[in-house]
Amino acid sequence: MPKPYVAINEVEMLNNDTTMQMFQQVGPKVCQVTARHPGFVGFQNHVQFGIIPMGTRWGGGSMDMTKMDTMNVYQYTMWKSIKDHEDMHRENFSSIFRLCSSCLSQVVYGPWEPLYEIVDASMPLNTEMADFTTMFGKKFAAGDPAGVPPISMPYGQRTIALSEHTVKKDKEKEFESTIVEVMKDFEKAPGFLGYMILKEVGVSAVGSFQLKSKGIHETLESGGEVPTQQEGSFKPEEARPTPPEYKVHMEWASPNDAMFGIGRVLFAHPAREIHDKVLDTLIRGPYIRLLNPMMEGTTWREYLNSP
């Protein structure tokens, strides 16, 4: 099974109708430009709508924070290699800059684009209920009726829980093995659809518009024109975080499924014992954001699940 690399472009934007219109109008155009490169295998773009407060640990937050003045956007793109991602940005800088700069009036922070390798994953294909009969028939014909995956509804019809972790130096392998055990326990919970364990391996300077000084000045001194100096100020590997950073991407059928399912690590003793081993590897976390996957190109799941 091939494992694509994941670039997550993070932006904090004003929470208003203008931002949502830009997201819907500009987002598809950026994805079309991105698809010029053969190393691009798909995308999944999200808007954050809340957090899991973990009781009152983050009591100022809630599972519905859509009335805040700003909102966070997490735009995933999936790649055959990090080089493919960087080459695409360099080759199409002008087109992407023109599109993204049209949204800068709404940006509060970002863009910032960390790059991740997939340590482990179990992600089903996206399917509608209308696809279930066909899927079940194929599995039944293959002698594997129990192998039918959960129905993972596309286009905003499920919930993403994105959990952030900073891990102690030399504890990566212990974290990785035990967090996979936690995910396997979650498979017993109602509404759990799948997961990816993502390890940050660097940051894309050009994807973050973090240019060398001449490019920065050109950008600031213009009215949105494409700068002639387009070189990023660092290489991806120079931004590899120390201590290591991980994101655990979990997919659930609904926000309540996510809340109660993840709550197993607090009120179900076997799950709690496993998760305690995870906690003991951490410097920071887990902090869990709730995202709505509003716009997605599901081909990356086909790539991930191919032989």
Side-chain angles (χ1 to χ4, degrees):
M1 180 176 71
K3 292 180 181 176
Y5 289 85
V6 184
I8 303 182
N9 194 287
E10 305 171 5
V11 188
E12 183 180 2
M13 306 185 75
L14 296 177
N15 184 10
N16 56 33
D17 290 341
T18 300
T19 292
M20 293 307 297
Q21 290 170 2
M22 287 181 172
F23 186 75
Q24 293 167 1
Q25 293 171 4
V26 176
K29 295 181 184 295
V30 173
C31 289
Q32 289 177 62
V33 171
T34 304
R36 293 172 181 172
H37 197 286
F40 174 64
V41 296
F43 68 93
Q44 186 166 307
N45 295 344
H46 315 77
V47 170
Q48 182 178 350
F49 64 85
I51 66 168
I52 293 183
M54 301 297 281
T56 56
R57 172 60 180 86
W58 291 281
S62 71
M63 293 179 64
D64 183 358
M65 299 170 66
T66 54
K67 302 299 184 183
M68 293 182 67
D69 292 335
T70 64
M71 67 177 182
N72 295 318
V73 176
Y74 292 82
Q75 301 175 92
Y76 291 27
T77 53
M78 283 68 170
W79 302 87
K80 293 179 181 177
S81 70
I82 289 176
K83 183 179 183 299
D84 287 335
H85 175 269
E86 296 299 285
D87 286 348
M88 185 286 299
H89 269 290
R90 282 190 289 268
E91 294 164 7
N92 299 284
F93 183 93
S94 296
S95 296
I96 291 178
F97 186 88
R98 288 191 192 97
L99 289 167
C100 293
S101 64
S102 68
C103 303
L104 292 179
S105 61
Q106 300 298 109
V107 172
V108 176
Y109 169 83
W112 185 245
E113 192 167 47
L115 304 167
Y116 297 87
E117 65 179 7
I118 298 176
V119 174
D120 193 72
S122 177
M123 296 288 287
L125 300 177
N126 285 136
T127 52
E128 293 281 6
M129 288 301 296
D131 304 319
F132 178 78
T133 303
T134 300
M135 184 184 301
F136 182 79
K138 288 180 179 178
K139 287 289 185 180
F140 187 84
D144 184 27
V148 177
I151 299 297
S152 175
M153 303 281 277
Y155 320 126
Q157 300 178 87
R158 64 190 191 283
T159 294
I160 311 303
L162 188 64
S163 185
E164 302 170 0
H165 308 78
T166 305
V167 176
K168 298 174 186 176
K169 183 180 179 181
D170 300 326
K171 291 289 185 177
E172 295 102 314
K173 294 303 180 184
E174 184 177 344
F175 170 81
E176 292 170 7
S177 62
T178 50
I179 197 68
V180 168
E181 288 185 55
V182 173
M183 296 301 107
K184 297 305 181 185
D185 180 81
F186 285 172
E187 289 177 350
K188 305 170 189 174
F192 184 70
L193 303 176
Y195 70 90
M196 294 188 292
I197 312 300
L198 305 175
K199 182 177 183 179
E200 187 175 336
V201 294
V203 176
S204 175
V206 67
S208 304
F209 291 155
Q210 191 68 39
L211 307 179
K212 287 191 172 181
S213 57
K214 289 183 178 180
I216 290 286
H217 286 299
E218 275 192 76
T219 301
L220 296 176
E221 293 165 1
S222 76
E225 293 84 1
V226 177
T228 59
Q229 302 295 324
Q230 301 173 2
E231 187 178 352
S233 61
F234 57 88
K235 298 176 182 178
E237 61 271 17
E238 291 178 316
R240 189 181 184 103
T242 304
E245 296 282 343
Y246 290 81
K247 284 185 169 62
V248 179
H249 173 106
M250 296 168 278
E251 302 207 348
W252 298 83
S254 72
N256 278 340
D257 286 324
M259 177 182 67
F260 286 107
I262 293 171
R264 291 169 68 94
V265 303
L266 301 178
F267 58 72
H269 190 76
R272 178 170 172 156
E273 283 194 318
I274 298 169
H275 192 255
D276 282 353
K277 297 176 185 177
V278 173
L279 293 178
D280 289 340
T281 69
L282 300 181
I283 292 174
R284 180 184 66 91
Y287 185 78
I288 306 171
R289 303 177 187 272
L290 295 174
L291 314 179
N292 180 357
M294 295 180 61
M295 188 184 303
E296 53 191 321
T298 60
T299 51
W300 71 271
R301 293 171 182 263
E302 299 167 21
Y303 180 79
L304 177 65
N305 285 284
S306 62

